[in-house]
Amino acid sequence: MLPESVASLPKAELHLHLEGSIQPGTVCALTARHGVAVSEQEVRRRYAYQNFSGFLEAFKWVTSFLRDPQDYALITRDLAEHLLSQRVIYSEVTISIGVMLLRKQRPERNFEAILAAAEPFENRGLRMNWIFDAVRQFGAEAASRVVEAARQCASKSIVAFGTGGDELSVPTRELQPVYDQATALGLHRLIHAGEIGGPGKIREAVELLGAERIGHGIAAINDPALMDLLADRRIALEICPQSNIRTGALALQLRRAGARIEDHPLAKLFRHGIPIVLSTDDPAMFHTTLLNEYEHAQKLGVTENELLRLAQMSFDFAFERPHSRTAS
């Protein structure tokens, strides 16, 4: 059990996908809105997978029911309630704008609904900022349209541009002009790398794209020189232990048939001096919470003082800084 000093602490979460936060009951409400009857048992069946491609298929399925601004408002309110239950007072939430564009939706309308749904929660102590995310396998041109959507939305609460999806699909260099475009808008630079790809994907993200934080980055464990670089440059890894188990990413990096939480390199990376921001990734789809992830870190031998440092790091490496773990 977590020490009370950790469990009760105000927290930040920086690697969290809005679409991956949709709980089974909320999925059923969404499908019913669009005339499709789906049971919670069916949702849970679809939320079970053994590898990364299986997860992507489930993600495609659940997002197929996000069809209008009201749908996005619903899942935003649900996520905000969930975050408050975890003592989260600040979050940077990733939105898959690339999927919206693929489905011929208008991101500015969806985002307007998201902002309106999130606003009342600020009075309850939760500040939410947003990351506009492209899908890597859709290509650089599609990613550029995500940056353009951020320009059109013109909100100070959009703090970063990121790229998720299949990191093996499009060469990193092809994304350079898109990241330059994002930088020109004043957006911070993020990318998923070293989740299922090798250490080279992380190094490319840093050296070619100027990535300021890395989504996952667990492949760094296989390259001591890269670990040194991340520590020296203070580039944080957004570590999501349960996600790495559920997608098979950790087993892949360890070159094993399977992996357990106890095998996760979080503690080793942290003690090497690499900044770590502990997160849930897709909490509903990976059956986890932020408190669960702190419990996982504790299972890995992370001490109470180290857990407190991890909590502070999530504020220290956020893109909006007036927050701290001492906030009420």
Side-chain angles (χ1 to χ4, degrees):
M1 180 177 291
L2 280 177
E4 181 61 21
S5 63
V6 178
S8 63
L9 197 67
K11 298 174 181 66
E13 182 162 12
L14 306 183
H15 187 117
L16 170 62
H17 294 266
L18 176 62
E19 299 87 350
S21 73
I22 312 173
Q23 299 293 331
T26 308
V27 176
C28 295
L30 277 175
T31 61
R33 290 189 73 230
H34 299 294
V36 179
V38 175
S39 68
E40 289 193 28
Q41 183 178 6
E42 168 68 3
V43 179
R44 291 190 179 93
R45 186 186 69 77
R46 288 181 178 268
Y47 277 11
Y49 17 77
Q50 303 301 317
N51 52 44
F52 191 73
S53 62
F55 160 67
L56 289 180
E57 287 304 312
F59 192 88
K60 289 178 192 175
W61 175 77
V62 74
T63 58
S64 72
F65 297 108
L66 294 171
R67 299 176 183 177
D68 59 45
Q70 290 72 30
D71 296 337
Y72 282 94
L74 172 63
I75 66 172
T76 300
R77 288 191 293 270
D78 257 22
L79 173 58
E81 292 285 2
H82 171 78
L83 289 173
L84 285 173
S85 77
Q86 299 294 299
R87 295 285 286 143
V88 174
I89 64 169
Y90 177 75
S91 63
E92 291 174 2
V93 183
T94 294
I95 312 171
S96 188
I97 302 297
V99 170
M100 292 182 192
L101 291 169
L102 178 71
R103 295 194 167 128
K104 310 298 183 187
Q105 296 173 2
R106 292 177 57 187
E108 65 274 15
R109 291 186 60 214
N110 290 339
F111 189 59
E112 183 179 334
I114 287 168
L115 289 181
E119 184 178 10
F121 290 90
E122 194 147 354
N123 290 332
R124 295 173 59 187
L126 173 63
R127 170 77 171 152
M128 302 175 82
N129 278 328
W130 308 94
I131 297 163
F132 272 32
D133 191 66
V135 181
R136 187 161 180 156
Q137 60 265 34
F138 293 175
E141 185 177 341
S144 179
R145 290 197 290 272
V146 172
V147 179
E148 174 59 21
R151 187 191 68 78
Q152 291 178 359
C153 289
S155 170
K156 290 182 179 179
S157 66
I158 305 170
V159 294
F161 167 75
T163 307
D166 182 0
E167 65 182 291
L168 305 179
S169 59
V170 172
T172 306
R173 191 173 296 277
E174 291 185 16
L175 299 173
Q176 273 184 299
V178 184
Y179 276 81
D180 291 343
Q181 181 185 357
T183 300
L185 281 183
L187 299 178
H188 292 278
R189 300 173 300 281
L190 302 174
I191 193 168
H192 290 55
E195 180 182 11
I196 61 169
K201 290 296 182 183
I202 303 172
R203 190 176 292 276
E204 290 172 358
V206 172
E207 295 180 347
L208 298 180
L209 305 181
E212 297 166 76
R213 295 195 314 247
I214 299 291
H216 300 286
I218 57 173
I221 201 70
N222 295 315
D223 185 341
L226 176 61
M227 291 173 65
D228 290 342
L229 181 147
L230 295 171
D232 291 345
R233 298 195 189 180
R234 305 297 290 162
I235 297 171
L237 300 183
E238 301 163 350
I239 295 291
C240 311
Q242 182 75 339
S243 167
N244 298 153
I245 299 297
R246 295 277 180 172
T247 63
L250 180 57
L252 184 67
Q253 297 298 345
L254 297 177
R255 301 176 180 87
R256 298 180 188 173
R260 305 169 303 152
I261 283 292
E262 291 80 2
D263 301 319
H264 201 283
L266 182 157
K268 183 173 181 179
L269 294 165
F270 179 61
R271 289 169 182 160
H272 195 85
I274 300 170
I276 301 295
V277 292
L278 196 58
S279 297
T280 60
D281 197 8
D282 300 275
M285 302 186 76
F286 296 134
H287 317 283
T288 193
T289 67
L290 190 57
L291 287 176
N292 288 158
E293 299 300 354
Y294 277 88
E295 290 168 353
H296 292 148
Q298 187 179 35
K299 283 183 183 177
L300 293 165
V302 176
T303 67
E304 181 175 352
N305 283 339
E306 288 174 327
L307 290 171
L308 294 173
R309 284 175 55 206
L310 281 174
Q312 182 60 44
M313 275 187 174
S314 290
F315 290 102
D316 293 343
F317 288 86
F319 294 138
E320 183 176 302
R321 299 294 178 82
H323 306 276
S324 78
R325 63 184 174 89
T326 59
S328 59

